Amino acid sequence: MGKTDFSSTSKTALGGIIAALSVVTMFMTAVIPTLTYALPAVAGVLLIVMVVDIGKKWAFGVYAAVSVLSLLILPDKEAAVMYVFFFGHYPIVKAILEGTRLHGVVLWLIKLLVFNACVVAGYLVILYVFQLPFDELEEYGKWAVAGLLGLGNVVFVIYDVAVSRLVALYLLKWRKHLRKLLKFK
């Protein structure tokens, strides 16, 4: 039951299904705007199936397709940017990092560095490319950005652990059902 079990047609079909589900999930930010960060995280987690069963290269292809579509059609550009700059590629990057010989504190420092670089870059794009207002932070004082980034790091650690557990759950329970549903061997 490795990555070689799928034909190119099956890989493309599964990639299309995951991309469609991801775009629909992302589009839900227009319906439920309070989930601007949660829904891109869910859309990114859908890539676990691609990473585990098909491979990182195919997962990057799905990520790229969802990123382009999100930037083009989503009314919530902040959600689209968060997907493009972090949530969309993080399950793939996580698999790459955890496949290295890095462990413990060093691995976590690199993950935190990746998170902070991606989030800062994403917000710079939100502010300067899409020119979305960020006025509400000014009323909380000069430490608001640092406080939010610090809180974001805590949430990131929880997210990383949750993704690990979802991968384990997928491998133990959902994978066989998905393969049966999609008639993959």
Side-chain angles (χ1 to χ4, degrees):
M1 283 223 226
K3 293 176 185 169
T4 59
D5 292 335
F6 294 102
S7 68
S8 288
T9 306
S10 297
K11 291 176 184 180
T12 303
L14 185 58
I17 291 168
I18 298 297
L21 288 171
S22 295
V23 170
V24 167
T25 301
M26 292 293 294
F27 202 80
M28 290 299 293
T29 60
V31 179
I32 313 169
T34 56
L35 298 179
T36 295
Y37 300 105
L39 291 172
V42 170
V45 166
L46 292 172
L47 285 174
I48 290 171
V49 175
M50 294 301 294
V51 172
V52 170
D53 279 326
I54 308 299
K56 295 171 201 81
K57 184 175 113 178
W58 282 82
F60 268 119
V62 172
Y63 156 71
V66 173
S67 295
V68 169
L69 288 170
S70 294
L71 288 169
L72 290 174
I73 67 172
L74 277 183
D76 187 346
K77 296 303 180 200
E78 187 175 7
V81 169
M82 285 295 100
Y83 180 85
V84 171
F85 278 84
F86 180 70
F87 290 115
H89 65 76
Y90 186 70
I92 306 164
V93 170
K94 176 179 172 62
I96 292 168
L97 288 173
E98 291 178 355
T100 66
R101 295 177 186 214
L102 301 171
H103 294 287
V105 175
V106 173
L107 179 60
W108 275 105
L109 286 174
I110 292 171
K111 286 179 178 183
L112 286 165
L113 180 66
V114 166
F115 168 75
N116 285 284
C118 290
V119 168
V120 168
Y123 271 101
L124 290 174
V125 167
I126 289 169
L127 289 171
Y128 296 110
V129 174
F130 291 106
Q131 297 182 350
L132 297 177
F134 222 53
D135 300 332
E136 61 269 2
L137 278 183
E138 291 176 7
E139 67 187 62
Y140 294 110
K142 63 181 181 180
W143 297 105
V145 172
L148 277 176
L149 194 56
L151 183 60
N153 279 277
V154 172
V155 173
F156 163 71
V157 170
I158 295 166
Y159 175 73
D160 184 86
V161 171
V163 169
S164 294
R165 292 191 176 168
L166 285 170
V167 168
L169 186 62
Y170 173 71
L171 288 170
L172 293 173
K173 297 205 180 223
W174 297 339
R175 187 181 199 194
K176 64 183 172 193
H177 297 297
L178 179 70
R179 285 174 172 254
K180 188 175 182 181
L181 177 70
L182 298 175
K183 296 183 171 87
F184 293 142
K185 296 179 181 189

